[in-house]
Amino acid sequence: MDLLLADVRLATMETGGEPYGHARASAIGFAEGRIAWIGEAAHAPAASRRLECHGRWLTPGLIDCHTHLVYAGNRAREFEMRLEGATYEAIAQAGGGILSTVRATRAASEEELVAQALPRISRLAAEGVTVVEVKSGYGLDLEGEMKLLRAARALERLVPVTVRATLLALHATPPEFAGRVDAYVDFVCDEMIPAVAKAGLADAVDAFCEHIAFTRAQVERAFRAARAHGLRVKLHAEQLSNQGGAALAAAHEALSADHLEFVDDAGVAAMARAGTVAVLLPGAFLYLRETQLPPVALLRQHGVPIAIASDNNPGTSPYSSLLLMVNLACTAFRLTPEEALAGVTRHAARALGMERTHGTLALGKQADAVLWEIGHPSELAYSFGTHRPVAIFRRGAEVAA
Ligand code: DI6
Ligand code: FE
């Protein structure tokens, strides 16, 4: 083996055993980037390096399964306007909001986008995030979306993080298609999805199904095009109102339906049947001063897996911390600390279709893990700003924490 961690407490996040998947074993071994052995240190096979962990806790690498962290500029002025009384919808309808970030992002080069996203993704990486999903949606033309997706992939070479890229062309209607929304949807289906799929620049396709964005019928056309090109789908669903998006997503075997404050029983039941993950985003909930809570009890009742993500974006969740979301998932949404931690590990992996290789500490999975100076895993949810990883491992190797 390449590395043995000894005298460690394992919060594997596997199901069916102790809380947090706490394993009795006191050692874990990595070989060729994978978890190769779990057991007692005394019986461990030979390892090139051994790290004494002094009873510290090891969790899986954290996974931020919903971000829009590649964009140019910021929306601090809009934040001020909102504090002076304007609503998110009103600002969007007046050409601000998403479209103001589109203008800035179109004007930026790929290198500038990488440079501006780097501090955000670096902050996530420093707190133990080893997989980040990044959505496009601020280019809204073929060149702009491709540039953004290339920038997202380029970040992988600068930080020790696996990037999953999602095409979110149906985020807003670009100015050149104003008043011709269906023509834009046609363009996305006929030109953009095929080109992005051919270039291998996206792992999935997402859309914003909302009264200020796209209808179910328009989203469905994009979902058909995505699946015809071998791409899985996800959806921003029922964030500001109930549009029946969750059921539509489930009907297309979506990996996840995200936000969900306004989802109803039928939507949740459909998600349960399809195995679609509910991605809850407490950052956007708080930033928009939303009062409608996502129906956590209903999701639990139907056994829908709940993931938690940062939604890092310039308009509704400018937060570069996943551990903050873990805390907010408990304080705002009343998840238990164990549910919140599962939400940024096991269930987040599933929301990205990566559950076979990521999300828990199990034999054969990629050796992405974080070592913490804590007495119990609940401490990661209990407070914020307190915990920095002692060590971060990616593909079995220690990376700078
Ligand atoms: N819902 C959101 O909360 C973000 N996108 C979306 O579809 C907001 C993105 C932005 O305001 O820039
Ligand atoms: Fe989002």
Side-chain angles (χ1 to χ4, degrees):
M1 292 192 305
D2 304 319
L3 177 61
L4 179 78
L5 306 189
D7 189 17
V8 69
R9 284 190 276 180
L10 301 174
T12 69
M13 302 313 292
E14 286 277 301
T15 51
E18 297 290 310
Y20 301 90
H22 182 196
R24 290 198 184 287
S26 65
I28 185 166
F30 304 152
E32 289 167 359
R34 305 202 168 270
I35 298 172
W37 183 86
I38 295 176
E40 295 308 323
H43 306 133
S48 334
R49 185 181 164 217
R50 179 185 168 112
L51 188 69
E52 291 301 330
C53 297
H54 311 289
R56 292 181 177 123
W57 283 88
L58 191 76
T59 67
L62 307 184
I63 299 175
D64 194 347
C65 67
H66 179 144
T67 87
H68 313 239
L69 66 72
V70 176
Y71 60 84
N74 67 63
R75 305 238 290 277
R77 176 60 199 131
E78 196 177 290
F79 179 60
E80 289 185 321
M81 285 162 65
R82 296 230 302 266
L83 288 166
E84 288 155 10
T87 65
Y88 181 73
E89 280 103 324
I91 291 169
Q93 269 149 6
I98 292 172
L99 289 182
S100 79
T101 301
V102 169
R103 286 189 289 276
T105 303
R106 283 181 172 180
S109 67
E110 185 183 324
E111 293 69 30
E112 284 164 345
L113 287 180
V114 169
Q116 292 196 36
L118 193 56
R120 297 188 276 267
I121 198 166
S122 301
R123 284 298 305 227
L124 291 171
E127 60 175 14
V129 174
T130 51
V131 178
V132 173
E133 186 254 17
V134 177
K135 301 175 195 297
S136 66
Y138 293 122
L140 306 185
D141 57 18
L142 186 54
E143 184 36 41
E145 291 288 282
M146 301 257 260
K147 176 178 69 181
L148 196 160
L149 292 167
R150 280 195 304 268
R153 293 243 195 264
L155 289 167
E156 248 183 359
R157 296 193 287 274
L158 303 175
V159 281
V161 163
T162 300
V163 171
R164 278 288 189 267
T166 301
L167 176 68
L168 176 58
L170 294 194
H171 195 195
T173 301
E176 57 276 18
F177 280 96
R180 298 185 296 129
V181 182
D182 279 305
Y184 178 61
V185 176
D186 285 341
F187 171 72
V188 168
C189 295
D190 301 343
E191 313 270 339
M192 236 197 254
I193 290 174
V196 167
K198 183 152 177 258
L201 280 174
D203 305 295
V205 167
D206 194 347
F208 188 17
C209 187
E210 194 52 70
H211 65 90
I212 57 165
F214 298 92
T215 65
R216 272 169 52 120
Q218 290 163 341
V219 169
E220 179 151 38
R221 276 154 61 202
F223 278 3
R224 288 191 194 289
R227 299 189 76 204
H229 285 86
L231 294 170
R232 298 289 300 266
V233 300
K234 321 167 81 53
L235 189 64
H236 283 68
E238 345 297 13
Q239 178 184 7
L240 308 171
S241 62
N242 182 7
Q243 302 282 323
L248 172 68
H252 288 269
E253 294 165 323
L255 289 166
S256 68
D258 304 36
H259 287 286
L260 297 173
E261 279 85 346
F262 290 85
V263 74
D264 58 15
D265 286 44
V268 173
M271 287 174 66
R273 282 194 299 275
T276 297
V277 175
V279 178
L280 303 186
L281 304 163
F285 172 87
L286 282 172
Y287 209 75
L288 291 176
R289 303 183 76 234
E290 185 56 72
T291 51
Q292 170 99 11
L293 284 160
V296 169
L298 191 65
L299 293 167
R300 284 188 187 122
Q301 197 184 313
H302 284 268
V304 174
I306 300 174
I308 301 296
S310 73
D311 198 14
N312 186 310
N313 78 72
T316 65
S317 191
Y319 298 122
S320 302
S321 170
L322 192 57
L323 287 179
L324 176 59
M325 301 305 136
V326 167
N327 174 265
L328 295 179
C330 299
T331 53
F333 292 168
R334 313 310 290 169
L335 263 64
T336 67
E338 185 180 0
E339 286 175 322
L341 204 55
V344 295
T345 55
R346 186 173 74 247
H347 295 159
R350 185 155 165 199
L352 298 178
M354 300 171 85
E355 67 274 18
R356 274 189 288 280
T357 49
H358 292 72
T360 68
L361 300 176
L363 289 179
K365 285 199 177 181
Q366 183 162 314
D368 289 3
V370 189
L371 190 66
W372 304 94
E373 182 79 62
I374 49 177
H376 188 265
S378 60
E379 291 173 28
L380 295 175
Y382 155 75
S383 67
F384 170 68
T386 319
H387 306 291
R388 264 185 114 260
V390 175
I392 301 171
F393 305 92
R394 178 151 177 273
R395 297 197 183 123
E398 189 168 351
V399 296

